[in-house]
């Protein structure tokens, strides 16, 4: 049973929600489509082995690079969780999102020496996950990480201290944002024509305000937008300062 605040449904009265049993849901959708074309099919069941019969159609997803780039651009949390679990399964069987997140943290420790990392998911939606800005930058600057991650990030417009776009700027800023109520992060790279390229990580939050939110306030708490606007102004000024170093 899903409970959704009325104002969260938007003008069309709808809201995208995750599916708890995607295999059964897909079967039900296929059955309804078939029914619309006059084809009678039995109720769907879950099979754990390859079915008998002929392959009618094969649909290939986008490649991993395209999926990851879209995930980062649109902050697609469901894709982040799915990709994280899929990556963990390449190393070891995991039985939950938390165990998959722990596997990712262990991988970072063993391969990149990030010793104080702790994760409970792959999307970053929980404030129980821990990584310092220093360790995040340490990860971003290592080979071959920056060569693989940088092209996947979206470009951030370079603005000066007054907020105006720097025309014909030769500096390229590639970033990933992360925003929750009273919590905001910005990480990325600054490429300069001088050759002095930088990596940065900014994490800002008001944990007292987050922890004091009531259930009714968690959808759209008062003051949250004003807070994040102020934080983004600080982030923009920091990035501009580093661009001018």
């Amino acid at each position: 049973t899903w409970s959704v605040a009325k104002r969260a449904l938007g003008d069309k009265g709808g809201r995208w929600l995750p599916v708890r049993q995607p295999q059964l849901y897909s079967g039900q959708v296929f059955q309804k489509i078939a029914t619309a074309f006059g084809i009678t099919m039995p109720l769907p069941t879950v099979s754990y082995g390859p079915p008998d019969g002929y392959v009618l159609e094969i649909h290939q997803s986008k490649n991993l690079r395209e999926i990851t780039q879209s995930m980062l651009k649109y902050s697609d949390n469901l894709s982040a969780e799915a990709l994280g679990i899929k990556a963990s399964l390449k190393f070891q069987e995991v039985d939950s999102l938390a165990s998959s997140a722990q596997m990712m943290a262990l991988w970072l420790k063993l391969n990149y020496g990030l010793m104080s990392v702790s994760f409970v998911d792959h999307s970053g939606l929980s404030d129980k996950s821990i990584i310092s800005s220093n360790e995040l930058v340490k990860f971003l600057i290592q080979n071959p990480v920056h060569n693989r991650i940088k092209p996947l990030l979206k470009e951030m417009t370079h603005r000066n201290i007054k907020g105006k776009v720097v025309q014909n700027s030769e500096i390229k800023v590639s970033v990933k944002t992360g925003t929750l109520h009273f919590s905001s992060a910005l990480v990325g790279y600054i490429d300069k024509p001088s050759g002095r390229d930088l990596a940065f990580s900014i994490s800002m939050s008001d944990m007292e305000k987050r922890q004091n939110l009531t259930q009714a306030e968690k959808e759209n708490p008062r003051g949250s937008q004003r807070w994040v606007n102020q934080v983004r102004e600080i982030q923009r000024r920091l990035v501009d300062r580093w661009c001018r170093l």
Side-chain angles (χ1 to χ4, degrees):
T1 300
W2 293 95
S3 178
V4 181
K6 184 177 180 180
R7 61 182 176 179
L9 297 178
D11 296 334
K12 298 181 179 179
R15 176 89 172 187
W16 284 105
L17 293 172
V19 177
R20 293 189 184 279
Q21 295 178 304
Q23 64 278 61
L24 277 176
Y25 183 76
S26 299
Q28 290 167 359
V29 171
F30 185 72
Q31 183 194 37
K32 287 185 180 297
I33 292 173
T35 301
F37 284 89
I39 303 172
T40 302
M41 301 182 70
L43 290 174
T45 58
V46 179
S47 174
Y48 295 95
D52 296 327
Y54 298 97
V55 176
L56 299 177
E57 181 67 37
I58 295 177
H59 175 74
Q60 299 288 353
S61 72
K62 294 180 179 179
N63 62 45
L64 181 59
R65 178 187 175 89
E66 292 176 297
I67 293 173
T68 306
Q69 191 167 31
S70 176
M71 176 196 75
L72 293 170
K73 181 178 180 180
Y74 298 107
S75 293
D76 186 341
N77 296 311
L78 289 177
S79 291
E81 306 293 21
L83 287 177
I85 291 174
K86 188 67 174 177
S88 297
L89 291 172
K90 294 288 288 185
F91 300 96
Q92 182 177 313
E93 192 69 29
V94 293
D95 58 7
S96 66
L97 178 58
S99 63
S100 177
Q102 291 168 6
M103 174 65 66
M104 181 172 67
L106 178 62
W107 179 81
L108 287 170
K109 290 176 183 178
L110 295 177
N111 290 276
Y112 296 98
L114 309 188
M115 304 310 295
S116 61
V117 175
S118 177
F119 298 130
V120 298
D121 59 23
H122 298 289
S123 64
L125 286 176
S126 171
D127 54 19
K128 304 302 181 186
S129 293
I130 298 172
I131 184 171
S132 69
S133 285
N134 281 342
E135 290 205 312
L136 193 47
V137 169
K138 179 181 177 181
F139 171 71
L140 290 175
I141 63 176
Q142 294 192 52
N143 286 319
V145 174
H146 67 276
N147 290 330
R148 292 179 177 176
I149 290 182
K150 193 187 299 184
L152 302 178
L153 302 180
K154 61 184 177 183
E155 195 166 336
M156 176 181 176
T157 302
H158 179 200
R159 298 178 182 271
N160 61 25
I161 195 170
K162 295 182 179 180
K164 295 183 178 180
V165 176
V166 178
Q167 300 295 333
N168 302 317
S169 175
E170 296 182 5
I171 298 173
K172 182 180 179 182
V173 184
S174 306
V175 301
K176 175 68 184 85
T177 60
T179 308
L180 298 173
H181 296 317
F182 302 109
S183 181
S184 178
L186 184 72
V187 302
Y189 299 93
I190 299 173
D191 292 346
K192 303 182 180 184
S194 65
R196 189 186 183 190
D197 299 338
L198 306 174
F200 66 90
S201 171
I202 309 169
S203 297
M204 309 177 76
S205 62
D206 188 328
M207 295 306 296
E208 183 176 353
K209 286 186 177 180
R210 278 188 57 79
Q211 292 166 356
N212 290 334
L213 291 176
T214 65
Q215 190 64 36
E217 292 175 321
K218 287 185 177 180
E219 184 64 38
N220 187 23
R222 181 180 300 176
S224 176
Q225 190 58 52
R226 180 173 178 270
W227 183 90
V228 79
N229 288 341
Q230 292 174 333
V231 164
R232 285 173 179 168
E233 173 69 11
I234 295 171
Q235 292 171 345
R236 182 187 59 74
R237 288 177 176 239
L238 283 171
V239 170
D240 174 60
R241 179 182 177 184
W242 293 328
C243 285
R244 291 184 284 106
L245 286 177

